[in-house]
Amino acid sequence: MRRLRLLPLLLLLLLPRPGAPGPGDDASPPDAAQEPLPGLRERLREAVALSRRYWALLRCRVWPKDCERAEEAGAGLLGWSLPLLGQQYLDILTSWYCSFQACCDSGDCRISNNFTGLEWDLSVRLHGQHLARELVLTTVRGYLELPRPDKALALSFHGWSGTGKNFVARLLAENLYRDGLRSDCVETFIATLHFPHPKYVDLYKEKLASQIKETQERCHQTLFIFDEAEKLHPGMLEALRPHLERQAPENHRVESQKTIFLFLSNIGGNTINEAVLTLLQAGGAREEIRLDQLAPQLQAEMAESTDTGFGHSCLVKENLIDFFIPFLPLEYHHVRLCARDAFLSQGLPYTEEALDQIAKMMVYIPKEEQLFSSQGCKSISQRISYFLP
C-alpha cells in the first residue's frame, strides 16, 4: 500500500508548480547567496498536499464505497477538479492499479450522482446561463431523488452555437457518472453523424431502440444525449415516444429505472437573442431574466418552423418534453471568462491582456450594439495557442 501511495507523489513531482514560470518566462538567475533548501522544502510540501488529493480521487475510482463514506464524513473531495494533465496521470494510475486488482469498472457501481459537484460546476464553470444553471440542477436532482419516477426526464436545450449546451451535457455526465461521457450508462447521438440518411430511417430506429434497451438493462440510471436534435428525422422522434411516455405502475421493474433524455438544438436561438436584447435595452438586468419571459416565444418559433420536424413532433405536441431550457447569448465578459478557463484547463499561464485580445477576436452582434458574441465561446480553446509564450 505504501508503494501505491508513493507513485502519485513521484508523478506529481514532474508536474509544473501552479504559478511557476514557463519555458518562455523571464526567470531571474539563481543567487549564490540564496539557500536552496527552503525552496525545496516548499516544493515537497506542495507535492505532498497535492498527492493527497490525487490519492483521494484514485480511491474514489477504485473503491467507490470508501469514497461515498468519505463524502458523508465531510471530506469535500468531489467538488475538486483536475487540470487536463493531472487527469491523464490519474487515468494512468487507475489503469495500472486495476490491471492486477479487482475494481468497480462498469455499470451501476460507477454511478456517482455528485450533486454538490454539479452545483459547483454549474456555478463556477458555466458562464452567463443563470436559467440553465438553476433549471438543470433543480430538475435533475429532483428527478433522480424520486423513489419511483413514472416517466423519463426529458430536457431540451435551445440557443446559439457556443452558448454552453454541449458543455452542460458534459457536466451532467461527469457528475452523475464516474466515467463521464465514457460511462457504459451514457449514450451520445449526433443526428448528422449517427442518422445521416433518411432512406435508412427504419434501420436507424431499430438500432436506436436496441441501444436504449441494452443500456437500460446494463444500468438502472441512464443518460441519452441527442445533439443537433432539430435535424433528427420525424421517424426517429416518433421512435422515442414509448421511452418518454408515462409508464403504468405494474410495468415498473423491481429496481426503478431512471432515464434522462437531453435534446440539444439551435432552434429558437434568434428568438432568444432578440428577447434578451429587448429586455436589456429596456433597462433590465441579465440575471433577472425569467424563464416565462422567453419560453412562449421559444415554443412559438418551434411551432412555426418549417425547416425542422422537431417542433411538430409528438414529443413537443404531446408535452413529452418536461422543460425547454433557453441558453442566453454570451457577452464580452463571458468570452473572457471562457478564455481564462481554457488556459486553466490546460495548466497554462495567461495575462489579462491575452484574455482581452482573445475576446476581441470574436464577432459581436447586432452591428450597432456589438453586444453578443456570434459564436458564443466556440473555438476559444483553439485561439489560445496564438498567445502562448
Side-chain angles (χ1 to χ4, degrees):
M1 186 66 71
R2 287 180 179 272
R3 291 177 183 174
L4 181 61
R5 298 190 68 168
L6 283 174
L7 184 57
L9 178 57
L10 294 175
L11 287 173
L12 290 167
L13 288 173
L14 301 175
L15 292 173
R17 182 177 51 179
D25 291 339
D26 259 347
S28 54
D31 188 346
Q34 292 179 345
E35 185 184 355
L37 188 57
L40 177 60
R41 286 176 177 171
E42 180 62 27
R43 183 68 184 272
L44 286 172
R45 277 197 296 268
E46 291 175 1
V48 169
L50 192 55
S51 176
R52 288 172 182 161
R53 289 286 192 177
Y54 276 81
W55 170 250
L57 289 176
L58 175 63
R59 187 178 63 194
C60 284
R61 287 194 172 197
V62 297
W63 302 300
K65 291 184 179 178
D66 288 348
C67 178
E68 290 165 7
R69 285 195 290 268
E71 280 300 304
E72 290 171 2
L77 299 171
L78 294 181
W80 186 72
S81 58
L82 292 172
L84 180 61
L85 184 59
Q87 187 67 50
Q88 291 170 347
Y89 278 128
L90 187 60
D91 289 341
I92 293 171
L93 280 172
T94 304
S95 300
W96 171 74
Y97 180 84
C98 293
S99 66
F100 60 87
Q101 289 285 343
C103 293
C104 169
D105 57 4
S106 65
D108 289 347
C109 68
R110 305 294 292 170
I111 296 172
S112 57
N113 288 348
N114 177 18
F115 298 122
T116 301
L118 178 60
E119 183 175 12
W120 186 90
D121 280 340
L122 292 174
S123 299
V124 176
R125 300 174 62 191
L126 178 67
H127 305 301
Q129 305 297 350
H130 67 285
L131 292 177
R133 180 180 69 239
E134 296 163 5
L135 283 167
V136 169
L137 179 63
T138 302
T139 56
V140 171
R141 178 163 53 189
Y143 174 75
L144 293 179
E145 288 178 348
L146 288 174
R148 299 180 70 85
D150 60 358
K151 76 177 291 291
L153 174 65
L155 303 178
S156 191
F157 296 170
H158 296 266
W160 267 11
S161 178
T163 52
K165 303 185 296 296
N166 285 88
F167 184 57
V168 171
R170 178 162 67 86
L171 292 181
L172 272 174
E174 289 175 350
N175 286 284
L176 299 184
Y177 305 93
R178 300 193 192 282
D179 302 308
L181 291 172
R182 298 176 298 171
S183 171
D184 293 334
C185 307
V186 179
E187 295 286 349
T188 301
F189 303 96
I190 303 173
T192 54
L193 177 63
H194 294 93
F195 319 114
H197 304 296
K199 64 180 179 179
Y200 297 131
V201 67
D202 290 334
L203 180 62
Y204 295 150
K205 288 165 62 176
E206 183 179 340
K207 186 176 180 181
L208 177 61
S210 175
Q211 285 183 273
I212 291 176
K213 181 181 178 182
E214 289 174 5
T215 306
Q216 290 180 328
E217 288 175 348
R218 193 162 49 238
C219 308
H220 81 274
Q221 177 184 304
T222 51
L223 173 64
F224 298 98
I225 303 168
F226 291 85
D227 197 3
E228 300 181 349
E230 73 277 6
K231 297 175 183 176
L232 285 170
H233 188 279
M236 300 301 297
L237 296 168
E238 181 68 30
L240 292 173
R241 176 195 283 183
H243 303 284
L244 293 174
E245 291 177 326
R246 296 190 181 278
Q247 304 294 321
E250 59 267 23
N251 291 338
H252 280 163
R253 305 188 320 177
V254 175
E255 186 173 23
S256 178
Q257 180 71 46
K258 297 179 181 179
T259 304
I260 299 175
F261 285 88
L262 299 182
F263 298 94
L264 318 183
S265 173
N266 291 338
I267 297 178
N270 291 334
T271 296
I272 294 169
N273 292 359
E274 291 170 5
V276 172
L277 179 61
T278 300
L279 291 167
L280 294 180
Q281 288 176 333
R286 181 189 180 96
E287 291 71 22
E288 294 175 358
I289 295 175
R290 305 186 311 274
L291 180 62
D292 59 13
Q293 294 175 302
L294 301 178
Q297 297 97 312
L298 174 58
Q299 295 190 37
E301 179 177 339
M302 285 194 294
E304 295 170 4
S305 175
T306 58
D307 298 332
T308 173
F310 187 79
H312 304 281
S313 69
C314 61
L315 305 187
V316 175
K317 289 186 174 181
E318 297 178 18
N319 299 314
L320 297 179
I321 294 180
D322 298 287
F323 288 95
F324 297 92
I325 301 180
F327 279 69
L328 311 185
L330 299 181
E331 300 175 43
Y332 181 89
H333 63 283
H334 300 130
V335 176
R336 287 185 86 260
L337 291 172
C338 290
R340 180 205 64 186
D341 291 351
F343 279 107
L344 293 176
S345 69
Q346 298 184 43
L348 298 172
Y350 67 88
T351 64
E352 295 298 319
E353 181 183 3
L355 300 186
D356 280 323
Q357 287 180 307
I358 293 173
K360 289 175 182 177
M361 292 172 70
M362 309 300 282
V363 176
Y364 293 86
I365 58 167
K367 188 175 181 179
E368 296 77 18
E369 289 86 352
Q370 299 281 295
L371 189 58
F372 305 135
S373 169
S374 63
Q375 292 180 280
C377 282
K378 201 166 188 175
S379 77
I380 287 292
S381 57
Q382 288 80 20
R383 294 173 189 264
I384 67 173
S385 60
Y386 295 108
F387 300 91
L388 298 181

